[in-house]
Amino acid sequence: MVPEPSTASALPKARTGISGFDDVTYGGLPAGRPSLVCGAAGCGKTLFAVTFLVNGATLFDEPGVFMSFEERAEDLAANVASLGYDLDGLVAEKKIAIDHVRVERGEIEESGEYDLDGLFIRLAYAVDTIGAKRVVLDTIETLFAGLTDAAVLRSELRRLFGWLKDRGLTAVITGERGDGHLTRQGLEEYVSDCVVLLDNRVEDQITTRRLRVVKYRGSAHGTNEYPFLIDEQGISVLPVTSADLDYGASSDVLSSGIAGLDAMLGPGGFFRGSSVLISGVAGTGKTTIAAHLLDAACRRGERCLAFVFEESGAQICRNARSVGLDLEPHIDDGLLKFEAARPSLYGLEMHLARMNRDIEQFQPSIVVIDPVSALRGPANELQATLLRMVDMLKSRGITAVFTSLRTDGTFDQAGDLGLSSMMDAWIKLQDVDANGERTRTLYVIKARGMSHSNQVREFQMSASGVRLVDAYVGPAGVLTGTARIVQEAEEQAALLRRRQDSERRRREVQRRRESIERQIAELRASLELADEEEQVILGEDELRETLLIQERTTIAGRRGAAE
């Protein structure tokens, strides 16, 4: 934003109600003093003056008088009706008075008696009738068209400006651009307390309106050129030239709406208020990822605004249904709004002014710009515009999502005008052509302040939604699509074969073990049988030995008896 003055100004100011202009002038035009609004034909002087009057009457309870020297009251009312201003209604409510003063050059004589007493009488009557606090004189060249005496002209100008000051009227006087001067006469800018220069220039067949506060007596003010926009919503000025890097940093984490992508980010999503770049060649799914971010935010009850330059909002909603997203209920609930325009409709600064105005009105928490690469202009102006765009969103704490079309599949950052370095997170989408098919892949190139995966993921879109699949990474390289499926099938088959071989070897070992155990059992049975047989034989031998001893004993006894 425009930097604030170091000390508060004591000069009373009258707010114009024009978005951005009061920021540039630190409060509005000098109250009770005349201000000059000058510029070439078609730059918006009359519309600026009417807006000043209408806002004063409707917003600040300051009735006003519009004195026209060119347009009739009915023509003026018809011309500003396109901005939504009901001059006839305000006139009926005595909040605005319109007086058309016809000035014919042939009727003006430089006799030395020329004065503005008649004008003062008419103007005073109109002011007193409605109690006016504001006055517009449009245009001053017509009033002094017949005067060529510089001394008389300067004298009457001073009388006019002095009369307005004496009455305490905050006046806006419009003037046409002159040759070598801000105005035709070259005097008005010197006697005015504030001079605002409007410009409507054409570059590369694109019109851009710019505003500059040339001087402001007694007050600090923005000194740069500022783009301003005139459309059906009135006048809005973009008071952004450069932003200080003093905005806060939130630790809140927002889901991307894609579980696989959240899993690749350490906290499980993106930081709130960060800037996210989604880049890739055509057809890789940039808008689809942005649509998921919008859907996830709307489901959380957050307001989202999307600036689109290649498709209409209705087309994006239709295409999102093919991946299982229904964005239309969010639009019906007032949570999602699409602003669609061709890049060639405005110049760069006009696009920026339009975005600033729409963001101020809608107050979104997430903004999508799809694609930012569609903007065209000189490289230095385009880079400055992108920087101001990023700063404008960051200063408001808005999470910004930029999609960018890249014509190559490399990581080269040349040609992106430094956009990638401005981003807090960069998601790269890339096509991989192999085996006669095209496969989408996704990388997280960077994610400031958080751990993130450095692996490639296959990016699949279907009617059931978006899914990230781990790509095959092995000796054969990174495989996706059918090649990944074939490789996984081959690995599954090899694993099955290894398991079958292992099971077969286990069964063979088991059979050998059982065979040996049977052999051991048979040997043990034979051994036991041999032991039993041996015991029997030993028993029989002992029995025979016993019987033999008994027989010997019996025989010996018989011999002894015979003797």
Side-chain angles (χ1 to χ4, degrees):
M1 300 295 292
V2 177
E4 295 292 338
S6 57
T7 59
S9 174
L11 182 68
K13 302 210 175 167
R15 295 169 60 190
T16 65
I18 297 175
S19 175
F21 180 79
D22 291 341
D23 296 328
V24 171
T25 54
Y26 304 132
L29 296 175
R33 298 187 182 189
S35 299
L36 176 66
V37 178
C38 56
C43 64
K45 300 183 298 295
T46 302
L47 292 180
F48 185 98
V50 171
T51 302
F52 165 75
L53 272 192
V54 171
N55 288 342
T58 58
L59 301 179
F60 311 119
D61 194 25
E62 294 187 0
V65 173
F66 190 99
M67 182 163 282
S68 172
F69 305 114
E70 291 184 341
E71 293 182 280
R72 297 177 301 173
E74 54 270 25
D75 295 334
L76 180 65
N79 292 341
V80 299
S82 61
L83 300 181
Y85 298 152
D86 182 12
L87 286 187
D88 293 334
L90 293 173
V91 170
E93 296 175 6
K94 295 188 180 300
K95 293 183 176 180
I96 286 182
I98 303 177
D99 189 7
H100 175 233
V101 179
R102 188 176 65 87
V103 178
E104 294 293 340
R105 177 175 298 185
E107 297 177 1
I108 299 176
E109 297 181 0
E110 297 185 44
S111 60
E113 299 178 355
Y114 178 84
D115 59 48
L116 299 176
D117 290 343
L119 174 68
F120 295 157
I121 292 173
R122 293 183 65 164
L123 187 56
Y125 175 78
V127 169
D128 294 338
T129 300
I130 64 172
K133 301 294 184 183
R134 302 186 178 199
V135 170
V136 169
L137 302 180
D138 182 48
T139 66
I140 198 170
E141 282 77 21
T142 305
L143 183 62
F144 297 109
L147 291 179
T148 57
D149 189 329
V152 175
L153 177 60
R154 180 179 290 271
S155 174
E156 292 305 306
L157 276 174
R158 290 189 179 279
R159 283 189 63 202
L160 174 61
F161 282 55
W163 186 90
L164 293 171
K165 283 186 177 182
D166 293 340
R167 297 294 297 260
L169 297 171
T170 304
V172 169
I173 301 170
T174 65
E176 296 179 1
R177 188 74 180 266
D179 295 333
H181 300 280
L182 295 179
T183 57
R184 290 277 184 90
Q185 309 299 337
L187 300 174
E188 298 91 325
E189 57 262 37
Y190 295 103
V191 295
S192 300
D193 288 81
C194 178
V195 177
V196 179
L197 176 63
L198 304 183
D199 187 19
N200 186 20
R201 67 188 67 167
V202 179
E203 297 175 355
D204 295 330
Q205 302 181 353
I206 297 177
T207 299
T208 301
R209 301 180 187 271
R210 290 182 172 88
L211 174 150
R212 180 166 65 94
V213 181
V214 179
K215 81 171 185 177
Y216 200 136
R217 287 174 179 161
S219 173
H221 59 277
T223 57
N224 295 325
E225 282 192 331
Y226 305 93
F228 72 98
L229 183 65
I230 299 178
D231 60 8
E232 67 279 358
Q233 299 185 36
I235 299 177
S236 59
V237 180
L238 178 64
V240 177
T241 52
S242 61
D244 295 332
L245 298 177
D246 58 356
Y247 36 75
S250 174
S251 297
D252 293 343
V253 177
L254 306 179
S255 171
S256 66
I258 303 174
L261 179 55
D262 289 344
M264 297 178 69
L265 304 170
F270 300 105
F271 287 132
R272 183 181 296 277
S274 61
S275 299
V276 181
L277 173 64
I278 305 172
S279 68
V281 299
T284 50
K286 301 181 296 296
T287 303
T288 299
I289 293 182
H292 275 79
L293 283 160
L294 291 174
D295 179 69
C298 290
R299 290 181 182 275
R300 295 191 298 266
E302 301 180 26
R303 297 165 69 88
C304 302
L305 182 58
F307 296 98
V308 292
F309 299 113
E310 294 181 346
E311 300 175 281
S312 66
Q315 186 176 357
I316 291 177
C317 291
R318 182 204 64 187
N319 296 342
R321 286 196 293 270
S322 66
V323 291
L325 295 181
D326 190 1
L327 300 178
E328 291 183 356
H330 303 320
I331 298 177
D332 297 337
D333 293 339
L335 295 175
L336 176 59
K337 184 178 180 181
F338 286 95
E339 291 291 345
R342 286 295 182 188
S344 58
L345 182 61
Y346 307 113
L348 291 173
E349 293 185 334
M350 293 293 283
H351 275 296
L352 196 59
R354 168 174 165 261
M355 291 178 184
N356 180 73
R357 192 270 317 278
D358 293 341
I359 289 171
E360 285 287 343
Q361 293 179 352
F362 194 67
Q363 294 295 314
S365 62
I366 291 184
V367 168
V368 169
I369 301 175
D370 178 41
V372 70
S373 54
L375 298 174
R376 292 291 183 267
N380 58 338
E381 292 185 13
L382 185 57
Q383 185 174 20
T385 299
L386 294 176
L387 180 60
R388 293 163 66 183
M389 190 181 298
V390 172
D391 286 337
M392 178 182 69
L393 297 170
K394 276 186 172 293
S395 63
R396 290 174 168 85
I398 296 174
T399 304
V401 180
F402 299 85
T403 68
S404 177
L405 176 67
R406 298 182 69 90
T407 57
D408 55 62
T410 67
F411 293 108
D412 184 15
Q413 299 181 23
D416 69 355
L417 299 171
L419 180 62
S420 58
S421 65
M422 302 178 202
M423 297 293 104
D424 298 305
W426 182 8
I427 308 300
K428 178 69 176 289
L429 304 178
Q430 189 172 353
D431 282 337
V432 176
D433 296 325
N435 301 320
E437 66 176 357
R438 180 171 62 91
T439 305
R440 299 178 179 90
T441 57
L442 180 148
Y443 306 80
V444 178
I445 303 300
K446 74 173 182 178
R448 289 173 178 163
M450 66 177 70
S451 61
H452 57 277
S453 173
N454 62 353
Q455 299 297 313
V456 62
R457 297 290 188 273
E458 185 176 341
F459 180 60
Q460 295 180 344
M461 294 188 294
S462 65
S464 58
V466 171
R467 187 168 68 98
L468 297 185
V469 181
D470 289 343
Y472 173 85
V473 180
V478 178
L479 302 179
T480 59
T482 304
R484 174 182 55 79
I485 296 174
V486 171
Q487 182 65 30
E488 289 176 350
E490 291 179 353
E491 289 185 352
Q492 290 292 333
L495 178 61
L496 179 59
R497 286 194 298 270
R498 289 195 299 272
R499 288 178 178 175
Q500 290 174 344
D501 292 341
S502 178
E503 183 66 21
R504 185 170 56 254
R505 288 193 296 270
R506 189 190 64 79
R507 290 196 302 268
E508 290 178 354
V509 170
Q510 184 64 25
R511 285 195 298 268
R512 290 172 59 189
R513 179 186 296 276
E514 292 175 353
S515 175
I516 293 172
E517 288 179 348
R518 285 196 301 270
Q519 293 177 6
I520 292 173
E522 291 176 355
L523 292 174
R524 285 177 177 173
S526 300
L527 181 60
E528 292 174 356
L529 183 59
D531 289 341
E532 292 177 357
E533 185 67 23
E534 184 177 0
Q535 292 297 327
V536 171
I537 295 173
L538 290 175
E540 290 177 350
D541 290 343
E542 290 179 355
L543 180 59
R544 284 197 296 269
E545 187 70 24
T546 301
L547 292 175
L548 181 59
I549 293 172
Q550 289 177 355
E551 287 179 0
R552 288 178 178 174
T553 302
T554 302
I555 293 173
R558 287 178 179 178
R559 288 180 179 175
E563 295 179 354

